[in-house]
Amino acid sequence: MTGHRQDGSRHGGARGGPRQRTATAPSQRRRGADAARTAAFDALRAVAESDAYANLVLPPMLRDRGIRGRDAGFATELAYGTLRLRGRYDAVIARCAGRPLDQIDPPVLDALRLGAHQLLGMRVPPHAAVSETVGLVREQVGGGAAQFVNAVLRAVSRESLDTWLERVGDAADPAGTDAVARLSVVESHPAWVTRALREALVGNGRGADELGDLLAADNAAPRVSLVARPGLVEADELREAAGPEATPGRWAPTAVTLSGGGDPAGLAAVRAGRAGVQDEGSQLVALALAAAPLDGPDARWLDLCAGPGGKAALLGALAAEQGATLLANEVQPHRARLVRQAVAALPDGAVEDVRVGDGRELGDAEPGAFDRVLLDAPCTGLGALRRRPESRWRRTPADLASLGALQRDLLASALRAVRVGGVVAYVTCSPVLAETQLAVVDARRAATKAGIGAEVLDARAVVLGIAPDLDLPERPDVQLWPHVHGTDAMHLTLLRRTS
């Protein structure tokens, strides 16, 4: 096991880094940390050590510790903002620490990131950002590490954010010719993700010059979107219950936006399952499947990969209104339990069953048995980086290969499960071409070899029928973008089985 020095470095780390003492005597410095910053620090450690997700770890932690109101909001922005902008802050810290980042004790590095976010990304007075972070490190790690953190953060605080962005950008792109390298460090994305997103923009009819805006949108905290599940609660009723800062959704007729934040769990409709938290992009793709033109019967729908249940609940509500029933399938038992909870408020008979099973096998088990099929395919999640701040640092290019095979197998199963004349919605929360357009091309080619024909429907026309003002290029599939539409980067292709 790697040893750690008291000054926050690992054994063998570079020596001679900033060690100067602060101007304030140790006895006068803050000895501990406040609850909000400690919660943010603990959330970052859980993400690093346990592969936890911040949006699953932090909210219950805040509730359990009695952190509410403005303190809860501060802890949330501190944790999520630090995770989103980790790449930017690491580049700044590296220039101030006097040693490589891999020679800094991980808890100390996380604390430095939290301090950097307070200094460069939040409206925290510099003296408070430094002293509170030093107190946190003294409490969590030790006095030697606290001195190191004090020196590094004081160095960070000497320059403005704009100055630091210019410096780290120039260091990544000294010749001024590598926009991907510069944007990757300035906007805090791994370079391979930046390249994939640029390719996705161009491949979907948008300009590569939008890349900076897209990356910046990934770093902005998203507003909370609610879905009013049809037949259970009206959107206007939900908006009135949510208070004066709630507004109608921008695109989906089922959507309500909590512009001023707020706790959705405080709403009776959310607690009862008549409404839920759901991005407008996710709402639009479910609404589009339900609205897609269909010849023949329209009685049985399938959600092939239903966990955690948000789209299944909306689809089930829509199915009930249209006289259909929904079968929800999920391969993971714990996610299937979440689906059951999500659909519990739907009318009796709306959901035929919540089944635990491998979606790749369902097409053979029930061939041609469904009129509408949703495949919300497992993907890299690179279209939802606003909501999953740590995922950009966990994913690797190798994930595209492993997930790509699964996506294609699941789409093949969906095409077997739908009847001739029925419709499949292929959905991902990633815009990456390998997971979207290329996956559809490959799956259709494989289906043809297996004797199954599938034509691409005009998903753009269907979505514009729901949200007429959406800015969508002239192409049959739909790709949403956070910097254009304010949604997650959801992809939708509609396929009709022809043979």
Side-chain angles (χ1 to χ4, degrees), residues 298-356:
D298 191 11
R300 196 169 183 230
W301 300 5
L302 169 65
D303 186 346
L304 191 60
C305 299
K311 295 184 185 70
L314 178 52
L315 272 182
L318 294 166
E321 288 201 323
Q322 296 179 210
T325 60
L326 176 73
L327 174 65
N329 180 81
E330 169 55 45
V331 69
Q332 298 289 345
H334 72 281
R335 287 170 64 87
R337 287 193 292 272
L338 295 176
V339 177
R340 292 189 185 96
Q341 294 171 12
V343 303
L346 298 180
D348 290 342
V351 177
E352 170 188 325
D353 191 15
V354 177
R355 180 183 300 174
V356 177

Side-chain angles (χ1 to χ4, degrees), residues 223-236:
R223 294 182 296 177
V224 176
S225 293
L226 303 179
V227 57
R229 291 164 181 157
L232 300 181
V233 65
E234 295 295 327
D236 288 344

Side-chain angles (χ1 to χ4, degrees), residues 211-280:
L211 180 59
D213 290 339
L214 171 57
L215 300 182
D218 282 346
N219 293 330
R223 294 182 296 177
V224 176
S225 293
L226 303 179
V227 57
R229 291 164 181 157
L232 300 181
V233 65
E234 295 295 327
D236 288 344
E237 177 187 350
L238 181 62
R239 178 168 51 84
E240 290 177 7
E245 292 190 333
T247 58
R250 187 177 175 189
W251 311 116
T254 49
V256 172
T257 301
L258 301 185
S259 301
D263 181 9
L267 297 171
V270 172
R271 292 196 303 271
R274 295 181 287 120
V277 178
Q278 190 170 46
D279 180 72
E280 274 200 81

Side-chain angles (χ1 to χ4, degrees), residues 14 19 30 61 87 109 121-122 182 228 242 333 353 358 382 422 491:
R19 299 280 182 84
R30 181 178 179 89
M61 184 185 296
L109 182 56
M122 297 177 73
R182 180 177 293 269
D353 191 15
D358 190 333
L382 295 182
H491 173 86

Side-chain angles (χ1 to χ4, degrees), residues 411-462:
L411 185 48
S413 179
L415 290 170
R416 295 193 300 273
V418 77
R419 66 168 173 83
V420 174
V423 176
V424 172
Y426 177 74
V427 171
T428 64
C429 58
S430 168
V432 176
L433 297 181
E435 302 186 87
T436 56
Q437 297 176 29
L438 298 180
V440 171
V441 168
D442 290 347
R444 288 182 68 204
R445 184 182 297 121
T448 299
K449 292 180 180 179
I452 295 175
E455 64 179 355
V456 178
L457 299 181
D458 190 350
R460 179 180 184 270
V462 175

Side-chain angles (χ1 to χ4, degrees), residues 10 38-52 57 61 83 105-111 113-114 140 394:
R10 296 172 183 258
T38 300
F41 175 80
D42 289 344
L44 261 62
R45 297 311 305 144
V47 167
E49 294 178 337
S50 307
D51 281 341
V57 168
M61 184 185 296
L83 286 167
D105 192 2
V108 174
L109 182 56
D110 272 344
R113 292 163 173 161
L114 290 170
Q140 299 288 333
R394 288 184 177 165

